[in-house]
Amino acid sequence: MNHSWHYDFRDILWAPARALSAKKIFVMTFFLCLALIFYDLFTYLALAVAGEAPGYVFSVHGMFPLQLFAFDSVVGWIVFGVGVVLALLAVMMGFFGVAAFQIEEVRGNRFLSIWQAIAFAWKRLPQMFLAELAIVLFVAFIVLLFFLLGLVSRVPMIGKWLYALFFAIPVFVVAILTVFIILVFQISWVLLPAVAAADRIGETFTAILETFSTIIRRPVQWLVYTAYTLVAAKVCSFIYAYFCYRSVQFIGWASGLGGGERTTDLIKSGLSHLPVNSDTVRETFNIFPGVDWGISLVPWTRGGGDEAVGYLMAVMLFLIFASVIGYFLAIIATGQARAYIVIRYKKDKYAISSESPLFFEDEPVNEPVEGVTESD
């Protein structure tokens, strides 16, 4: 084992450093861009179906229409909902890929490739989707039971009496358990990918069981680890964003020594095609929400040209920006994976580090040739 685990908060402290890896940032950014494609495509499609003007919305929000639109038609809501679900699943696959890197490192394999992680995430997508679907169907079943209870209350004479009689037990007990399940369902979008990445077989029931077990048996510990990870992710991603900003500035200055102002103008032209004044961009380049201390990209949008190559530059700059958010999410995914390793050991006395890697095998040692000694 290449790392001595303490199985306490000290192991979580290293999450930002462990996430600062080109492989992890690339995988998380890849699935983040995929999620944005799904979200944008279905959002603007839903606006078109609902009779809205997608062109006007795009002129306002661009590639980041991150708000809840009011659709007048049921079809519009359905299309929008499908896009949100696909985007969340894509982000979960990114969490899974980053967690897979961390789990394999703990098992002793530091050579998991980017494409192996992406393929592994696609392979385990059904496990994560079915786990989430099972929770949704269970909650829907409870809602159906309460719907039938409401129908019973309509029965003349005895309906209201039966409703009042069973309101505390078992109706209230079932309701409070259902609310807890809904809470775990919301948490599972972040925690379940780490649990699934640590599962060697890929069983849906195991992913659900371990997710609930982690929250039920170690809620405070998981909450503390997650809170630290979120704060560390925001601070470290801001530092990463600052270095990205200065690096782009350096490129413009250094290349301008040979190319003149046209290189700087090209960067400005690319930024002018991006929603640099949106809430998403502002908060990404700000230290904390509500704290006015950060980097403003607005001055860099002035003075750029309107050449077609500016759109290509906009794509390149967008990928750099996406890597900032990718690093932010990679820290969260790495923190969840390390938190699950610690909590799994605390609650079950089971060390994931003692397992053999899934994607690495020691090369076999050749058997000695008959008649040849070591001295030969």
Side-chain angles (χ1 to χ4, degrees), residues 92 95 99 132 184 186-197 207 210-215 222 226 336-337 339-340 343:
M92 286 184 70
F95 284 149
E132 300 288 14
V184 176
Q186 296 172 345
I187 294 172
S188 67
W189 292 96
V190 176
L191 176 59
L192 191 141
V195 175
E210 284 297 327
T211 300
F212 275 85
S213 176
T214 300
I215 301 301
W222 178 85
T226 302
Q336 289 297 301
Y340 177 68
I343 293 175

Short mmCIF file of all heavy atoms in Angstrom, two decimals, residues 92 95 99 132 184 186-197 207 210-215 222 226 336-337 339-340 343:
data_model
loop_
_atom_site.label_atom_id
_atom_site.label_comp_id
_atom_site.label_asym_id
_atom_site.label_seq_id
_atom_site.Cartn_x
_atom_site.Cartn_y
_atom_site.Cartn_z
N MET A 92 -22.97 12.60 -12.44
CA MET A 92 -22.70 11.43 -11.60
C MET A 92 -21.63 10.53 -12.22
O MET A 92 -20.79 9.97 -11.50
CB MET A 92 -23.99 10.63 -11.38
CG MET A 92 -24.98 11.27 -10.44
SD MET A 92 -26.41 10.22 -10.13
CE MET A 92 -25.67 8.90 -9.14
N PHE A 95 -18.41 12.13 -11.37
CA PHE A 95 -18.08 11.80 -9.98
C PHE A 95 -17.55 10.37 -9.88
O PHE A 95 -16.59 10.09 -9.16
CB PHE A 95 -19.32 11.95 -9.09
CG PHE A 95 -19.67 13.37 -8.77
CD1 PHE A 95 -20.99 13.74 -8.56
CD2 PHE A 95 -18.70 14.34 -8.67
CE1 PHE A 95 -21.32 15.05 -8.25
CE2 PHE A 95 -19.01 15.66 -8.37
CZ PHE A 95 -20.33 16.00 -8.16
N ALA A 99 -13.92 9.18 -8.64
CA ALA A 99 -13.87 8.27 -7.49
C ALA A 99 -13.16 6.97 -7.84
O ALA A 99 -12.45 6.39 -7.01
CB ALA A 99 -15.29 7.97 -7.00
N GLU A 132 -30.94 4.91 -8.37
CA GLU A 132 -31.75 6.12 -8.21
C GLU A 132 -33.21 5.85 -8.58
O GLU A 132 -34.13 6.34 -7.90
CB GLU A 132 -31.18 7.25 -9.08
CG GLU A 132 -29.75 7.64 -8.76
CD GLU A 132 -29.63 8.39 -7.44
OE1 GLU A 132 -30.60 8.39 -6.64
OE2 GLU A 132 -28.56 8.98 -7.20
N VAL A 184 -32.00 11.27 1.62
CA VAL A 184 -30.88 10.44 1.18
C VAL A 184 -30.81 10.40 -0.34
O VAL A 184 -29.72 10.36 -0.92
CB VAL A 184 -31.03 9.01 1.75
CG1 VAL A 184 -29.93 8.10 1.22
CG2 VAL A 184 -30.99 9.05 3.28
N GLN A 186 -31.47 12.84 -2.36
CA GLN A 186 -30.78 14.05 -2.78
C GLN A 186 -29.28 13.95 -2.52
O GLN A 186 -28.47 14.39 -3.34
CB GLN A 186 -31.37 15.25 -2.03
CG GLN A 186 -32.83 15.52 -2.38
CD GLN A 186 -33.45 16.59 -1.49
OE1 GLN A 186 -32.90 16.96 -0.45
NE2 GLN A 186 -34.61 17.11 -1.90
N ILE A 187 -28.92 13.35 -1.40
CA ILE A 187 -27.50 13.17 -1.08
C ILE A 187 -26.85 12.16 -2.01
O ILE A 187 -25.67 12.28 -2.35
CB ILE A 187 -27.35 12.72 0.39
CG1 ILE A 187 -27.79 13.84 1.34
CG2 ILE A 187 -25.91 12.30 0.70
CD1 ILE A 187 -27.84 13.42 2.80
N SER A 188 -27.62 11.18 -2.46
CA SER A 188 -27.06 10.08 -3.24
C SER A 188 -26.47 10.53 -4.56
O SER A 188 -25.60 9.85 -5.12
CB SER A 188 -28.15 9.02 -3.51
OG SER A 188 -29.15 9.53 -4.37
N TRP A 189 -26.90 11.67 -5.09
CA TRP A 189 -26.32 12.14 -6.35
C TRP A 189 -24.83 12.43 -6.20
O TRP A 189 -24.08 12.40 -7.18
CB TRP A 189 -27.04 13.40 -6.82
CG TRP A 189 -28.46 13.15 -7.24
CD1 TRP A 189 -29.59 13.30 -6.48
CD2 TRP A 189 -28.91 12.67 -8.51
NE1 TRP A 189 -30.70 12.94 -7.21
CE2 TRP A 189 -30.32 12.55 -8.45
CE3 TRP A 189 -28.26 12.32 -9.69
CZ2 TRP A 189 -31.08 12.11 -9.53
CZ3 TRP A 189 -29.02 11.88 -10.77
CH2 TRP A 189 -30.41 11.78 -10.68
N VAL A 190 -24.39 12.68 -4.97
CA VAL A 190 -22.97 12.94 -4.71
C VAL A 190 -22.28 11.72 -4.13
O VAL A 190 -21.15 11.38 -4.51
CB VAL A 190 -22.81 14.15 -3.76
CG1 VAL A 190 -21.36 14.38 -3.41
CG2 VAL A 190 -23.41 15.39 -4.38
N LEU A 191 -22.95 11.02 -3.20
CA LEU A 191 -22.32 9.92 -2.48
C LEU A 191 -22.37 8.61 -3.24
O LEU A 191 -21.39 7.84 -3.22
CB LEU A 191 -23.02 9.75 -1.12
CG LEU A 191 -22.56 8.59 -0.25
CD1 LEU A 191 -21.08 8.69 0.08
CD2 LEU A 191 -23.37 8.53 1.04
N LEU A 192 -23.46 8.32 -3.92
CA LEU A 192 -23.62 7.02 -4.57
C LEU A 192 -22.53 6.70 -5.59
O LEU A 192 -22.10 5.55 -5.69
CB LEU A 192 -25.01 6.92 -5.20
CG LEU A 192 -25.43 5.53 -5.69
CD1 LEU A 192 -26.90 5.28 -5.38
CD2 LEU A 192 -25.19 5.36 -7.18
N PRO A 193 -22.05 7.67 -6.41
CA PRO A 193 -20.96 7.34 -7.33
C PRO A 193 -19.72 6.81 -6.63
O PRO A 193 -19.05 5.88 -7.14
CB PRO A 193 -20.68 8.68 -8.04
CG PRO A 193 -21.98 9.40 -7.98
CD PRO A 193 -22.57 9.03 -6.65
N ALA A 194 -19.37 7.36 -5.47
CA ALA A 194 -18.22 6.86 -4.72
C ALA A 194 -18.46 5.45 -4.21
O ALA A 194 -17.58 4.60 -4.25
CB ALA A 194 -17.90 7.80 -3.56
N VAL A 195 -19.69 5.20 -3.74
CA VAL A 195 -20.04 3.86 -3.26
C VAL A 195 -19.98 2.86 -4.40
O VAL A 195 -19.45 1.76 -4.26
CB VAL A 195 -21.44 3.88 -2.62
CG1 VAL A 195 -21.87 2.48 -2.23
CG2 VAL A 195 -21.46 4.79 -1.40
N ALA A 196 -20.53 3.25 -5.56
CA ALA A 196 -20.53 2.35 -6.72
C ALA A 196 -19.12 2.10 -7.22
O ALA A 196 -18.80 0.98 -7.67
CB ALA A 196 -21.39 2.94 -7.83
N ALA A 197 -18.25 3.12 -7.16
CA ALA A 197 -16.87 2.94 -7.62
C ALA A 197 -16.11 1.97 -6.75
O ALA A 197 -15.18 1.29 -7.21
CB ALA A 197 -16.15 4.29 -7.65
N ALA A 207 -25.21 -0.86 -3.87
CA ALA A 207 -25.01 0.59 -3.91
C ALA A 207 -26.05 1.31 -3.05
O ALA A 207 -25.71 2.24 -2.31
CB ALA A 207 -25.09 1.07 -5.36
N GLU A 210 -25.31 0.45 0.84
CA GLU A 210 -24.14 1.13 1.40
C GLU A 210 -24.35 2.64 1.48
O GLU A 210 -23.85 3.29 2.41
CB GLU A 210 -22.90 0.82 0.56
CG GLU A 210 -22.34 -0.57 0.79
CD GLU A 210 -21.86 -0.77 2.21
OE1 GLU A 210 -21.37 0.20 2.82
OE2 GLU A 210 -21.97 -1.88 2.72
N THR A 211 -25.10 3.20 0.54
CA THR A 211 -25.40 4.64 0.60
C THR A 211 -26.23 4.96 1.83
O THR A 211 -25.93 5.89 2.59
CB THR A 211 -26.13 5.09 -0.67
OG1 THR A 211 -25.31 4.84 -1.82
CG2 THR A 211 -26.44 6.59 -0.62
N PHE A 212 -27.29 4.19 2.05
CA PHE A 212 -28.13 4.42 3.23
C PHE A 212 -27.38 4.10 4.51
O PHE A 212 -27.53 4.80 5.51
CB PHE A 212 -29.40 3.56 3.13
CG PHE A 212 -30.50 4.20 2.34
CD1 PHE A 212 -30.55 4.08 0.97
CD2 PHE A 212 -31.50 4.93 2.97
CE1 PHE A 212 -31.56 4.67 0.22
CE2 PHE A 212 -32.51 5.53 2.25
CZ PHE A 212 -32.55 5.40 0.87
N SER A 213 -26.56 3.05 4.49
CA SER A 213 -25.81 2.68 5.68
C SER A 213 -24.83 3.78 6.09
O SER A 213 -24.65 4.07 7.28
CB SER A 213 -25.05 1.37 5.44
OG SER A 213 -24.25 1.03 6.54
N THR A 214 -24.20 4.41 5.10
CA THR A 214 -23.25 5.48 5.39
C THR A 214 -23.94 6.66 6.06
O THR A 214 -23.43 7.21 7.05
CB THR A 214 -22.58 5.95 4.09
OG1 THR A 214 -21.88 4.85 3.49
CG2 THR A 214 -21.60 7.08 4.36
N ILE A 215 -25.11 7.03 5.57
CA ILE A 215 -25.83 8.19 6.11
C ILE A 215 -26.45 7.85 7.46
O ILE A 215 -26.46 8.68 8.39
CB ILE A 215 -26.91 8.67 5.13
CG1 ILE A 215 -26.26 9.06 3.80
CG2 ILE A 215 -27.67 9.85 5.71
CD1 ILE A 215 -25.22 10.14 3.90
N TRP A 222 -20.06 12.02 8.07
CA TRP A 222 -20.18 12.29 6.63
C TRP A 222 -20.45 13.77 6.40
O TRP A 222 -19.89 14.38 5.48
CB TRP A 222 -21.31 11.46 6.03
CG TRP A 222 -21.51 11.75 4.57
CD1 TRP A 222 -20.84 11.20 3.52
CD2 TRP A 222 -22.43 12.71 4.01
NE1 TRP A 222 -21.28 11.76 2.34
CE2 TRP A 222 -22.24 12.68 2.60
CE3 TRP A 222 -23.37 13.58 4.55
CZ2 TRP A 222 -22.98 13.48 1.74
CZ3 TRP A 222 -24.10 14.39 3.70
CH2 TRP A 222 -23.91 14.33 2.31
N THR A 226 -18.06 16.26 4.28
CA THR A 226 -18.61 16.90 3.08
C THR A 226 -18.54 18.41 3.18
O THR A 226 -18.22 19.09 2.19
CB THR A 226 -20.07 16.44 2.87
OG1 THR A 226 -20.13 15.01 2.76
CG2 THR A 226 -20.65 17.06 1.61
N GLN A 336 -15.58 12.61 -1.42
CA GLN A 336 -16.59 11.60 -1.14
C GLN A 336 -16.00 10.20 -1.16
O GLN A 336 -16.36 9.35 -0.33
CB GLN A 336 -17.73 11.70 -2.17
CG GLN A 336 -18.60 12.93 -2.01
CD GLN A 336 -19.34 12.96 -0.69
OE1 GLN A 336 -20.10 12.07 -0.35
NE2 GLN A 336 -19.08 14.01 0.09
N ALA A 337 -15.09 9.94 -2.10
CA ALA A 337 -14.46 8.63 -2.16
C ALA A 337 -13.62 8.36 -0.92
O ALA A 337 -13.69 7.28 -0.31
CB ALA A 337 -13.60 8.52 -3.42
N ALA A 339 -13.94 9.89 1.97
CA ALA A 339 -14.84 9.83 3.12
C ALA A 339 -15.49 8.45 3.23
O ALA A 339 -15.63 7.90 4.33
CB ALA A 339 -15.92 10.91 3.01
N TYR A 340 -15.88 7.89 2.09
CA TYR A 340 -16.50 6.57 2.13
C TYR A 340 -15.51 5.50 2.58
O TYR A 340 -15.88 4.58 3.32
CB TYR A 340 -17.05 6.21 0.75
CG TYR A 340 -17.64 4.82 0.70
CD1 TYR A 340 -18.81 4.51 1.39
CD2 TYR A 340 -17.02 3.80 -0.03
CE1 TYR A 340 -19.34 3.23 1.36
CE2 TYR A 340 -17.56 2.53 -0.07
CZ TYR A 340 -18.71 2.25 0.63
OH TYR A 340 -19.23 0.98 0.60
N ILE A 343 -15.31 5.97 6.38
CA ILE A 343 -16.55 5.58 7.06
C ILE A 343 -16.79 4.09 6.94
O ILE A 343 -17.26 3.45 7.89
CB ILE A 343 -17.74 6.39 6.49
CG1 ILE A 343 -17.57 7.87 6.85
CG2 ILE A 343 -19.06 5.87 7.02
CD1 ILE A 343 -18.62 8.77 6.24
#
